[in-house]
């Protein structure tokens, strides 16, 4: 049987000719941080202080002393090298690499001496390729399109420029004889209630193993199959009667099945088969297709899983750390559990990042999170000549086969915004006929997917209308990226169109206050303070933030805490406005993917979870608007409608209470409407004329309620609304058996709009289970705060009284009258 020995210990990083202890997996930045030789690039403006690291060459070394072995062959296997490297043993070159997104295997049988991995600066490698292929346009002024490396490490409009190098994934020795399993491609299908697993197996043989008889044996769900290996290939087919289907979360369960494959060879005495190598994966049985039918609205784009059309409730995923070797399995699990808890059912792995590790996709399989996987091209024109073309094809082949066992994976996408860029961003004239990536997206990649993974759909890009017959970002055809609203308009303008599928849209806000205090120590925080501006990477980001606030509120002058709160309110409201509108138009619109779930460092961005893992109010708002059932008031003609969006499998029979109120608490009119929203459907109810608030009235608003769900429609902007001075009481109550948790009970005496308890203002480890909440006079809200044991004066339940109501009140914000 093959033996595996991890090589995670004993590495050194050469720094100015001297060895430093190195962590593998890791990168140069993490090793230099551990040695105290560079400051944390996430703090203050230290990003500039570490820029030199990415422009140097670096070498990792360790002894390679192979113990005696009865095996014929020893391989050195790198799961990932970042990025352009030369690998040598005892001074003899084994090979060169130039792709972060591939694995590498080298025969080191009988070799010993110093193992060295010398990394050339990514800038040097990119410039050399650029000299070969010529210049290509890029949205950002860095050479990411000339090297197969995580593009966002070169900086993005939410990320720092921290250009890494290192052995970023595990490395190991494999010793084996006769033959080993080289690749297994599982094609999993289900039809007429029966499952089928077709394993396409490829093996590598030693010289002495070329004439040996080999067999492959596989099992799954009680089914077995055996096949003779002819040359270096075998195909095994396993039939599974009546398998339980894998469903996205909210649609059913996520049963997973273990597939076990063993490669067998006869021993020297021909006394029977001996196991040589094994392969194991978990699979799920399900069908997935894209409905791209043409209809009276244009060209659709809807996921159909196991025959059921799905409104995709999605988030965009970026690398969770700009130093990706630091992302652990636990961190993946934590972040994806947060997504599932926010009622997300689809995660798009964006094309400027990574093909994530197995832990990411394993968690998605278990949590029922569908994965939309971009191939790694983003916001640039990519040369199609060597050496990049061969790297692109090899990278795509490896990762398609690596990821295809995962039932959560539902779509391969060719690129992010490059087809749109060619049409609208001046690339066509700048390129003057040079290659730019179209051959990848419309040729190489769909061919590879069709050959290797025919069970999944492929789309050429996002956005993409399906062909050049329509504009790539035409909202009526295929996928759409909605960025005009954030860039130039008020968030109410999301209601101006009904795209078939919104694959990107979003609104910015700063991170939590404790995140800012940690990242900008000692800074007198202001929207335009030096550290705040440095941790704002978007073009005119603060200008857009301020204009977004000013359209609805008086822009605070010199009150950072108020500005911070209002930007959070506008971010949450903006994203909710888009989702509520688009959900109310299901099935014409078949999904939304918010930009973005997560951050890779502390920064003002579109994320719902900031770089220190703190939840913004947007996160809680996603949980509300992505719930199976949603009540929303929407403009309709000259009036209003209440839309009941029901994504559950059961019909929703309910009574809708409508109240027309004034800001001082007076009820002007009320009525109850009986309604039914069928399973996976939307019902719209016209608001009766006497319930419609007087247009632009500063005093009137509408409340629609059903089964504990609520939606508001105010007739005027906040800055024009005659809000009363908010009055409310705060009480702190211990949670029985709650450890470090307390309940904060807020009782409103007036209308209190968008109340927010920023729990981290009480202590950096404190968090609240609710975001924005609007209370009518006499109503109560219960907010559970966790992590209070770390708050000064509080030491668990016995010391909860130390957390005074007055102190909690200081961390509470709400909309105030002008």
């Amino acid at each position: 049987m093959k033996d595996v020995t991890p090589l995670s210990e004993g590495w050194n990083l050469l720094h100015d000719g001297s060895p430093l202890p190195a962590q593998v997996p890791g990168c140069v930045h993490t090793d230099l941080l551990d040695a105290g030789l560079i400051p944390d690039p996430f703090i203050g403006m230290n990003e500039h202080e570490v820029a030199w690291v990415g422009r140097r060459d670096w070498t990792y070394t360790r002894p390679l002393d192979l113990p005696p072995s009865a095996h014929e062959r020893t391989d050195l296997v790198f799961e990932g090298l970042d990025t352009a490297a030369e690998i040598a043993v005892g001074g003899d070159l084994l090979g060169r690499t130039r792709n972060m997104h591939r694995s590498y295997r080298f025969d080191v049988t009988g070799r010993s001496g110093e193992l060295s991995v010398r990394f050339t600066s990514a800038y040097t490698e990119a410039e050399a390729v650029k000299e070969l292929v010529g210049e290509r346009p890029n949205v950002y002024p860095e050479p990411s399109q000339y090297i197969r490396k995580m593009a966002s490490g070169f900086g993005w409009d939410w990320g720092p420029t921290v250009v890494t190098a290192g052995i970023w994934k595990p490395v190991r020795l494999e010793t084996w004889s006769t033959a080993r399993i080289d690749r297994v491609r599982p094609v999993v299908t289900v039809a007429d209630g029966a499952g089928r697993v077709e394993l396409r197996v490829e093996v590598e043989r030693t010289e002495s193993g070329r004439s040996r008889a080999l067999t492959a044996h596989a099992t799954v769900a009680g089914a077995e199959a055996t096949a003779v290996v002819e040359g270096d290939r075998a195909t095994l087919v396993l039939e599974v009667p009546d398998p339980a289907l894998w469903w996205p979360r909210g649609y059913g369960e996520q049963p997973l099945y273990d597939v076990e494959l063993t490669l067998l060879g006869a021993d020297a005495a021909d006394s029977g088969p001996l196991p040589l190598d094994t392969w194991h994966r978990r699979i799920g049985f399900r069908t997935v297709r894209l409905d791209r039918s043409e209809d009276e609205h244009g060209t659709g784009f809807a996921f159909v899983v196991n025959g059921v059309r799905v409104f995709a409730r999605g988030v965009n995923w970026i690398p969770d750390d700009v130093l990706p070797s630091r992302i652990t399995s636990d961190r993946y699990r934590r972040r994806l559990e947060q997504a599932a808890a926010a009622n997300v059912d689809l995660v798009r792995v964006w094309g400027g990042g990574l093909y994530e590790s197995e832990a990411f996709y394993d968690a998605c399989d278990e949590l029922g999170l569908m994965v939309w996987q971009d191939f790694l091209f983003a916001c640039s024109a990519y040369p199609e000549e060597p050496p990049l073309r061969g790297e692109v094809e090899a990278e795509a082949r490896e990762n398609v086969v690596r990821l295809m066992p995962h039932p959560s994976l539902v779509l391969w996408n060719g690129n992010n915004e490059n087809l749109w860029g060619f049409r609208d961003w001046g690339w066509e004239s700048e390129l003057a006929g040079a290659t730019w990536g179209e051959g990848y997206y419309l040729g190489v990649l769909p061919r590879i997917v069709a050959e290797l993974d025919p069970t999944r759909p492929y789309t050429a890009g996002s956005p993409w209308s399906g062909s050049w017959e329509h504009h790539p970002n035409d909202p009526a055809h295929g996928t759409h990226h909605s960025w005009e609203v954030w860039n130039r308009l008020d968030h109410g303008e999301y209601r101006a169109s009904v795209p078939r599928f919104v694959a990107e849209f979003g609104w910015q806000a700063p991170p939590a206050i404790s995140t800012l205090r940690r990242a900008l120590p000692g800074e007198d925080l202001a929207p335009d303070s030096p550290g705040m501006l440095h941790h704002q990477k978007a073009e005119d980001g603060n200008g857009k933030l301020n204009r977004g606030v000013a359209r609805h509120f008086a822009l605070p002058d010199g009150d950072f805490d108020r500005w911070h709160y209002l930007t959070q309110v506008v971010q949450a409201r903006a994203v909710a406005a888009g989702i509520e509108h688009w959900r109310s138009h299901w099935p014409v619109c078949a999904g939304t993917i918010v930009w973005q779930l997560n951050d890779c460092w502390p920064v003002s961005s579109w994320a719902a979870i900031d770089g220190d893992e703190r939840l913004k109010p947007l996160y809680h708002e996603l949980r509300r608007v992505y719930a199976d059932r949603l009540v929303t008031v929407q403009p309709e003609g000259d009036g209003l409608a209440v839309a009941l969006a029901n994504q559950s499998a059961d019909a929703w029979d309910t009574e809708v209470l409508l109240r027309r109120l004034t800001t001082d608490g007076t009820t002007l009119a009320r009525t109850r409407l009986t309604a039914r929203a069928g399973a996976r459907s939307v019902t719209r109810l016209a608001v009766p004329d006497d319930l419609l608030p007087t247009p632009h009235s500063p005093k009137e608003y509408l409340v629609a309620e059903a089964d504990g769900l609520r939606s508001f429609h105010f007739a005027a902007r906040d800055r024009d609304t005659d809000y009363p001075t908010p009055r409310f009481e705060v009480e702190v109550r211990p949670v029985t058996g709650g450890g470090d948790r307390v309940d904060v009970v807020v009782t409103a005496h007036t209308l209190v709009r968008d109340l927010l308890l920023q729990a981290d203002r009480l202590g950096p480890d404190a968090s609240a289970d609710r975001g924005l909440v609007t209370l009518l006079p006499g109503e109560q809200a219960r907010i559970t705060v966790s992590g209070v044991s770390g708050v000064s004066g509080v030491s668990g339940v016995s010391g909860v009284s130390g957390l005074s109501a007055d102190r909690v009140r200081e961390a509470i914000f709400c909309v105030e009258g002008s």
Side-chain angles (χ1 to χ4, degrees):
M1 177 69 77
K2 179 178 72 177
D3 292 324
V4 176
T5 304
L7 293 184
S8 56
E9 305 293 332
W11 289 92
N12 287 309
L13 172 67
L14 298 185
H15 172 59
D16 291 339
S18 299
L20 297 174
Q23 188 174 36
V24 172
C27 72
V28 172
H29 287 83
T30 55
D31 292 330
L32 295 176
L33 279 167
D34 289 344
L37 294 173
I38 60 171
D40 186 339
F42 289 5
I43 303 301
M45 290 181 278
N46 289 343
E47 174 191 350
H48 297 316
E49 301 301 315
V50 303
W52 61 272
V53 177
R55 295 188 176 274
R56 279 199 187 180
D57 298 345
W58 297 93
T59 300
Y60 286 80
T61 65
R62 63 153 286 158
L64 187 67
D65 297 319
L66 300 181
S69 173
H71 283 298
E72 300 173 68
R73 173 87 170 262
T74 302
D75 288 345
L76 175 64
V77 182
F78 293 94
E79 292 187 23
L81 293 169
D82 176 17
T83 293
E86 293 182 348
I87 299 90
V89 173
D92 295 332
L93 182 67
L94 296 179
R96 295 182 173 87
T97 71
R98 59 197 326 159
N99 194 324
M100 182 181 185
H101 311 302
R102 294 178 58 189
S103 62
Y104 297 92
R105 178 180 294 268
F106 303 99
D107 183 353
V108 293
T109 306
R111 294 181 179 271
S112 63
E114 182 182 71
L115 168 60
S116 68
V117 184
R118 180 182 180 274
F119 290 96
T120 300
S121 163
Y123 286 104
T124 302
E125 169 71 9
E127 288 301 322
V129 173
K130 180 180 175 182
E131 286 294 316
L132 288 174
V133 301
E135 190 160 355
R136 301 293 195 283
N138 187 337
V139 169
Y140 298 98
E142 296 277 333
S144 60
Q145 70 269 50
Y146 304 107
I147 184 170
R148 297 308 298 158
K149 176 176 171 61
M150 184 178 84
S152 56
F154 287 95
W156 222 261
D157 57 4
W158 38 256
T161 301
V162 180
V163 179
T164 53
I167 306 171
W168 77 289
K169 286 188 174 183
V171 55
R172 64 184 181 272
L173 288 174
E174 293 185 1
T175 55
W176 53 282
S177 298
T178 306
R180 69 173 186 88
I181 298 171
D182 184 38
R183 187 173 80 161
V184 180
R185 184 165 62 88
V187 180
V188 182
T189 56
V190 58
D192 300 323
R196 176 185 170 97
V197 181
E198 185 178 291
L199 298 178
R200 300 292 183 91
V201 182
E202 298 177 21
V203 305
E204 182 183 10
R205 297 175 184 255
T206 63
E207 188 64 33
S208 67
R210 293 189 182 280
S211 60
R212 299 280 292 276
L214 301 176
T215 58
H217 179 75
T219 63
V220 61
E224 295 188 54
T226 302
V228 174
V229 179
E230 302 286 353
D232 61 0
R233 297 174 187 271
T235 300
L236 298 89
V237 177
L238 299 102
E239 303 285 351
V240 180
D242 196 28
L245 297 181
W246 184 96
W247 290 92
R249 61 162 304 280
Y251 289 80
E253 300 301 316
Q254 293 79 43
L256 299 170
Y257 294 85
D258 291 294
V259 180
E260 303 280 354
L261 173 71
T262 303
L263 180 65
L264 301 152
D267 68 7
D270 291 328
S271 61
L274 291 176
L276 301 173
D277 200 357
T278 60
W279 177 91
H280 165 259
R281 293 292 186 277
R282 290 186 309 171
I283 62 165
F285 292 95
R286 56 102 184 95
T287 64
V288 60
R289 66 181 179 88
L290 274 181
D291 183 352
R292 293 187 259 203
S293 303
E294 294 183 3
D295 56 28
E296 68 272 24
H297 305 287
T299 309
F301 189 96
F303 289 98
V304 182
V305 181
N306 298 328
V308 176
R309 288 171 61 87
V310 172
F311 180 94
R313 293 168 278 186
V315 288
N316 281 276
W317 172 275
I318 65 170
D320 207 51
D321 196 321
V322 75
L323 306 177
S325 62
R326 299 198 297 197
I327 308 172
T328 63
S329 297
D330 287 345
R331 186 162 159 184
Y332 277 128
R333 169 70 62 167
R334 192 162 62 244
R335 196 70 66 252
L336 292 167
E337 286 179 344
Q338 289 171 322
N343 296 311
V344 167
D345 59 23
L346 183 144
V347 179
R348 176 192 173 207
V349 181
W350 166 77
L354 301 166
Y355 306 102
E356 300 289 348
S357 79
E358 291 299 315
F360 175 93
Y361 303 95
D362 285 344
C364 290
D365 290 343
E366 296 164 12
L367 295 168
L369 295 172
M370 296 180 287
V371 176
W372 160 328
Q373 177 68 57
D374 281 14
F375 287 101
L376 301 185
F377 305 89
C379 299
S380 304
Y382 285 82
E384 298 174 36
E385 293 81 15
L388 290 178
R389 187 179 185 88
E391 289 294 340
V392 165
E393 178 148 359
E395 164 195 320
R397 287 183 172 277
E398 176 174 339
N399 284 285
V400 166
V401 173
R402 178 173 75 89
L403 300 182
M404 62 188 289
H406 295 281
S408 57
L409 180 59
V410 296
L411 181 69
W412 293 104
N413 175 53
N415 74 88
N416 175 75
E417 297 190 344
N418 293 342
L419 296 161
W420 181 18
F422 180 77
R423 176 60 58 87
D424 273 3
W425 301 347
W427 291 3
E428 190 167 4
S429 58
E430 187 176 345
L431 286 163
T435 61
W436 55 276
E438 183 182 27
Y440 297 145
Y441 319 136
L442 299 179
V444 172
L445 297 176
R447 171 173 54 81
I448 289 173
V449 172
E451 173 194 343
L452 299 178
D453 189 15
T455 68
R456 287 183 178 84
Y458 169 87
T459 186
S462 185
W464 181 233
S465 59
S467 77
W468 287 114
E469 293 180 7
H470 305 288
H471 188 281
N473 201 29
D474 187 334
H477 300 277
T479 52
H480 177 66
H481 289 194
S482 179
W483 285 115
E484 280 298 295
V485 174
W486 156 252
N487 285 325
R488 296 177 177 83
L489 304 171
D490 181 56
H491 56 70
E493 294 302 313
Y494 283 130
R495 301 190 185 100
S497 68
V498 182
R500 306 312 303 270
F501 193 106
V502 187
E504 280 189 21
F505 76 106
W507 204 275
Q508 269 202 356
I513 197 72
S514 289
T515 301
L516 288 172
R517 288 171 178 163
R518 187 192 70 82
L520 304 174
E523 179 159 316
D524 186 8
L525 294 175
D528 59 353
S529 60
M532 285 293 296
L533 291 178
H534 182 73
H535 288 248
Q536 165 61 274
K537 296 296 186 178
E539 182 180 2
D540 190 29
N542 271 18
K544 294 170 186 176
L545 278 175
N546 288 337
R547 289 190 290 275
V549 170
R551 292 184 185 106
H552 296 268
F553 304 94
L555 196 63
D557 182 15
D559 186 344
F560 179 80
D561 289 343
R562 191 77 192 159
W563 177 87
H564 182 272
Y565 160 74
L566 291 176
T567 57
Q568 305 291 329
V569 169
V570 174
Q571 180 188 41
R573 284 194 195 175
V575 172
I579 293 174
E580 290 188 34
H581 166 65
W582 293 318
R583 274 195 73 176
S584 75
H585 285 278
W586 160 261
V588 177
C589 178
T592 57
I593 310 182
V594 176
W595 190 272
Q596 65 215 64
L597 175 68
N598 57 326
D599 266 328
C600 64
W601 77 314
V603 65
S604 292
S605 83
W606 299 264
I609 304 171
D610 77 17
D612 280 7
E613 305 193 46
R614 294 188 174 92
L615 307 180
K616 295 183 186 178
L618 170 59
Y619 173 86
H620 299 283
E621 201 68 356
L622 285 179
R623 188 171 58 188
R624 180 183 70 85
V625 296
Y626 272 164
D628 281 352
R629 291 175 174 175
L630 173 71
V631 175
T632 177
V633 177
Q634 295 292 317
E636 189 159 278
D638 294 329
L640 297 173
V642 177
L644 303 178
N646 178 25
Q647 202 67 17
S648 73
D650 300 316
W652 183 13
D653 293 296
T654 190
E655 191 174 66
V656 180
L657 171 63
L658 297 177
R659 286 184 285 172
R660 179 181 166 203
L661 304 173
T662 63
T663 54
D664 64 5
T666 303
T667 300
L668 300 177
R670 62 184 289 156
T671 192
R672 293 183 183 273
L673 303 175
T674 300
R676 162 173 272 231
R680 322 287 191 203
S681 71
V682 176
T683 291
R684 300 175 78 90
L685 306 172
V687 175
D689 289 345
D690 64 327
L691 270 295
L692 294 174
T694 302
H696 311 297
S697 167
K699 293 182 177 294
E700 296 185 18
Y701 63 102
L702 175 71
V703 183
E705 298 172 274
D707 293 333
L709 306 177
R710 176 182 275 181
S711 181
F712 293 88
H713 172 80
F714 284 79
R717 296 178 304 174
D718 294 83
R719 62 184 302 159
D720 299 326
T721 297
D722 187 16
Y723 289 115
T725 300
R727 292 188 295 110
F728 55 87
E729 294 177 5
V730 177
E731 182 183 1
V732 180
R733 301 176 183 173
V735 176
T736 303
D740 66 348
R741 292 184 298 142
V742 298
D743 280 341
V744 174
V745 179
V746 180
T747 304
H749 298 299
T750 63
L751 170 67
V752 180
R753 191 171 186 197
D754 284 335
L755 180 139
L756 176 66
L757 169 56
Q758 293 189 357
D760 66 300
R761 289 180 179 271
L762 303 174
D765 296 327
S767 62
D769 69 341
R770 298 183 69 172
L772 302 172
V773 57
T774 294
L775 298 174
L776 302 183
E779 291 185 337
Q780 281 190 342
R782 182 183 300 268
I783 305 167
T784 299
V785 178
S786 303
V788 295
S789 60
V791 177
S792 176
V794 179
S795 57
V797 174
S798 62
V800 160
S801 58
L803 184 60
S804 69
D806 286 342
R807 183 163 180 201
V808 172
R809 182 180 283 271
E810 292 175 357
I812 292 177
F813 296 79
C814 64
V815 173
E816 299 174 353
S818 57

